[in-house]
Amino acid sequence: MNRTPAAPNRNALWARALVDGLARRGVSHACSGSGSRSAPLVAALAADDRFTLYPHVDERSAAFFALGVGAGSGRPAAVVTTSGTAAANLYPAVVEASQSEIPFLALTADRPAALRGTDANQTIDQRDLFGRYSRRSIDLALPEPTAAGLARLGAAVEAVWRAALGSPAGPAHLNVQFAKPLEPVHVPGDVPAGLEPRLAGSAAAVAERGAPPPDAGRELATLLQDARRPLIVCGPNQRPAIGRVALALAARVRAPLVADPLSGARFGSGAERWTMGSADLSLRADEVAAALHPDLVVRVGRAPTSAAVCRYLERHAAAPQFVLDATHRWRDHLATSARPLTGDPVATLERAAATDPGEADEDWIEQWRATDRAARLAVEPSLAGSWFEGAVADAMAESLPAGTPWFIGNSMPIRDVDAFTRATDRPLRPLGLRGASGIDGNVSAALGAAAASGRPAAALVGDLTLLHDVGALLADRPPGISLHLVVIQNRGGGIFHMLPIREHDPPFTPYVVMPQSVDLGAVAAAAGIPHRLVSSAAELREAVMAPDPESGGRGFRLTEACIEREHNWQQRTAAIESAKEAARREI
């Protein structure tokens, strides 16, 4: 930070010191909503050239944007709000950050504590506002312009920083009280001469992640030595290295790897050989799921997106299942009597792969490969010749340039990517919010991920997901953000066709599917975003591979893939049945 003149008042001093503390710990992205009480923090961020500051009209959108930055970079972004309901609008993103273990910093400006519980305007009790979802919540006292006061502020900044990047990572909250004046006017005698707005310490190192117990990797290697039919299941996680080392371990022990699209093991070196990319399809066949009987299951990351994979794990609950996690948390909602294996996942998998853990029976891996290959070959005619949501997911995955950050929305997009995209050695960087798995804020999060990556990014979301976060399109976007947003337009919630409620209409169509007739082209035009309609896989591939427009959208464009909802469901069902039958024939 360039040397700045002495702070004109204690609020400015406090805000500058807080912002300096964050910057020296590596925070470089911040989002702000409008408001007066947060003015000292916003002014400090705007004046500090170590930050990129993104203004947002909607605090909920700002929070999900910051969440996307955290998901894409592994470092927290800060969100600044004014007092009152503005702070409460961060709640959904805080919940998702907690459940998905994404680092996140909430800085909520507040009125003086003496006004709580009175009839003071725009004053609510913001202490511990996010409850158990926040890793740490600190209610700062009013600014104290002394060396001791700045030391206490520094301790608070350090505490929330370490909490956000701890094990597990997640959201942390600083509630920052300010009394007037909020603007940077000089208040005589308010700040002692020579008091620098700099905090002690500089934590370039992240908070200590749980170091693995000395024997975690050795214990895993010992388990694998005795296994002849081991299976590795890699679920969604926020650390790409987990997927890479899971692939390395699978190759070392010659074990099949079932990898969620958000695991880091679905797209990258070794995935074509060791990742069973069609497991979601083949394991839907009961005969296949029963025949592929493991004698050891090693699980890492969250539970898989695929319901078929989860049912498979439940079916084989009698086989020893170990859940690798850095902390002593219960990670077995499937109730498979899985045993915890406590250690840092990356270090533990690396150590197991570096020892001599034995090898699986060759018939075991070949049986998995045969069913996986058969399921994939069975759906390829549908993906090539039909236009349904699975073909959208497949065409997009095949067309994105290597290394593209790819945000995959909740509801059907993540499930279609899981079912219909192949495992490939071509690297992609899939991102998503599978903690609470809501559709809220997905567009904002995709924009945040694009901002964090510094390169052209892509996103795949449904129409209701877009409309739920349509304000993200209308906000003023910095020119450095490049995002190609592909929206599946099926005029409602297609995922609900998977549920028994579809047989009861009404209320199914009007109140569950919620059909809509919004003209997305008009929405894009209002936002100044280039818009394109596609109605085939070939058109989508062309759109995805086309270069970013040089004008109008400033690197942001929207491609609308129009799908007829009933036709989609018929094609999807037929493709899945073909895959199940093909996999059965290999057993």
Side-chain angles (χ1 to χ4, degrees):
M1 181 174 66
N2 298 329
R3 186 165 181 86
T4 56
N9 58 53
R10 66 181 62 201
N11 288 339
L13 172 80
W14 202 247
R16 289 181 191 176
L18 194 161
V19 165
D20 174 68
L22 293 178
R24 288 200 281 154
R25 286 161 175 79
V27 181
S28 59
H29 294 270
C31 302
S32 65
S34 61
S36 174
R37 192 62 47 169
S38 54
L41 289 170
V42 172
L45 286 164
D48 194 319
D49 58 13
R50 293 170 293 182
F51 281 88
T52 302
L53 180 59
Y54 304 93
H56 293 257
V57 174
D58 179 356
E59 289 87 2
R60 187 186 67 177
S61 178
F64 277 100
F65 185 102
L67 201 58
V69 171
S73 68
R75 312 287 280 186
V79 186
V80 176
T81 76
T82 192
S83 62
T85 57
N89 272 291
L90 306 187
Y91 209 117
V94 168
V95 170
E96 182 60 48
S98 178
Q99 299 296 94
S100 286
E101 300 177 6
I102 297 172
F104 178 94
L105 291 171
L107 308 181
T108 57
D110 198 1
R111 294 173 183 238
L115 298 180
R116 293 170 187 161
T118 70
D119 64 349
N121 185 49
Q122 207 172 328
T123 303
I124 65 173
D125 190 344
Q126 295 177 195
R127 294 170 297 176
D128 199 23
L129 181 61
F130 308 112
R132 67 182 64 186
Y133 290 105
S134 180
R135 300 285 186 266
R136 185 74 185 268
S137 184
I138 297 177
D139 181 34
L140 292 173
L142 285 168
E144 180 188 343
T146 65
L150 288 176
R152 283 190 283 270
L153 175 62
V157 171
E158 178 76 3
V160 294
W161 165 254
R162 288 188 173 274
L165 279 162
S167 188
H173 174 211
L174 267 183
N175 191 54
V176 191
Q177 298 179 42
F178 291 116
K180 292 181 177 180
L182 303 171
E183 60 277 6
V185 296
H186 180 65
V187 178
D190 207 27
V191 177
L195 191 61
E196 285 282 338
R198 295 179 67 82
L199 300 183
S202 148
V206 248
E208 303 102 355
R209 291 194 181 273
D215 60 344
R218 184 181 307 158
E219 182 181 355
L220 178 56
T222 301
L223 290 167
L224 289 164
Q225 278 178 341
D226 298 330
R228 291 296 170 262
R229 298 188 307 279
L231 174 68
I232 302 172
V233 178
C234 196
N237 64 82
Q238 296 298 327
R239 298 175 65 187
I242 289 177
R244 290 195 296 271
V245 294
L247 278 165
L249 180 61
R252 181 71 180 86
V253 302
R254 302 185 64 79
L257 172 61
V258 173
D260 190 271
L262 302 179
S263 67
R266 191 68 170 267
F267 309 102
S269 179
E272 289 181 15
R273 183 163 177 76
W274 300 107
T275 298
M276 305 298 115
S278 296
D280 176 74
L281 296 174
S282 61
L283 293 179
R284 293 173 189 244
D286 283 344
E287 300 89 337
V288 174
L292 296 175
H293 193 293
D295 62 4
L296 174 69
V297 179
V298 178
R299 292 160 49 184
V300 61
R302 296 181 61 81
T305 298
S306 168
V309 173
C310 289
R311 286 194 300 269
Y312 172 84
L313 294 172
E314 290 177 300
R315 177 190 287 267
H316 296 293
Q321 297 192 25
F322 289 83
V323 179
L324 175 57
D325 190 56
T327 58
H328 298 276
R329 287 176 294 171
W330 187 63
R331 287 216 151 188
D332 186 32
H333 81 278
L334 300 172
T336 60
S337 300
R339 306 172 210 177
L341 188 62
T342 304
D344 178 78
V346 173
T348 301
L349 294 171
E350 281 179 337
R351 183 168 182 181
T355 59
D356 183 14
E359 290 187 1
D361 288 340
E362 194 63 28
D363 288 347
W364 171 245
I365 183 66
E366 288 306 321
Q367 197 172 27
W368 271 94
R369 284 176 176 156
T371 56
D372 194 72
R373 183 169 52 247
R376 176 66 196 183
L377 290 173
V379 299
E380 284 189 345
S382 295
L383 297 175
S386 301
W387 182 234
F388 69 112
E389 292 174 25
V392 173
D394 178 65
M396 192 169 183
E398 295 287 335
S399 306
L400 289 171
T404 299
W406 184 22
F407 186 92
I408 306 170
N410 285 322
S411 195
M412 285 309 298
I414 185 63
R415 289 171 171 83
D416 283 329
V417 170
D418 196 9
F420 295 109
T421 64
R422 69 174 76 237
T424 174
D425 286 353
R426 191 167 56 88
L428 295 174
R429 175 72 169 98
L431 301 162
L433 304 179
R434 292 301 297 170
S437 302
I439 65 170
D440 46 343
N442 279 208
V443 178
S444 297
L447 285 165
S453 72
R455 60 180 299 170
L460 176 65
V461 302
D463 55 339
L464 294 188
T465 298
L466 171 64
L467 294 177
H468 200 289
D469 196 22
V470 71
L473 303 184
L474 303 174
D476 191 27
R477 295 170 302 281
I481 297 179
S482 178
L483 178 69
H484 185 184
L485 181 63
V486 176
V487 180
I488 296 174
Q489 174 64 279
N490 62 14
R491 299 295 174 190
I495 190 172
F496 300 112
H497 285 267
M498 298 175 67
L499 304 176
I501 188 66
R502 68 181 181 272
E503 303 298 332
H504 304 272
D505 199 1
F508 177 64
T509 298
Y511 301 115
V512 179
V513 173
M514 290 189 177
Q516 52 80 27
S517 57
V518 176
D519 183 345
L520 296 188
V523 172
I529 299 170
H531 170 264
R532 178 174 178 176
L533 282 170
V534 297
S535 55
S536 70
E539 289 181 357
L540 178 59
R541 287 190 177 93
E542 180 186 341
V544 170
M545 292 187 289
D548 287 341
E550 294 182 355
S551 61
R554 291 177 294 174
F556 193 6
R557 52 183 166 148
L558 190 158
T559 295
E560 183 180 357
C562 296
I563 302 289
E564 200 284 313
R565 196 167 57 246
E566 289 294 336
H567 174 77
N568 168 73
W569 195 247
Q570 294 166 5
Q571 292 297 316
R572 192 176 195 278
T573 301
I576 290 171
E577 290 303 318
S578 296
K580 289 165 59 178
E581 182 55 36
R584 285 190 194 101
R585 290 196 293 266
E586 298 297 326
I587 295 299

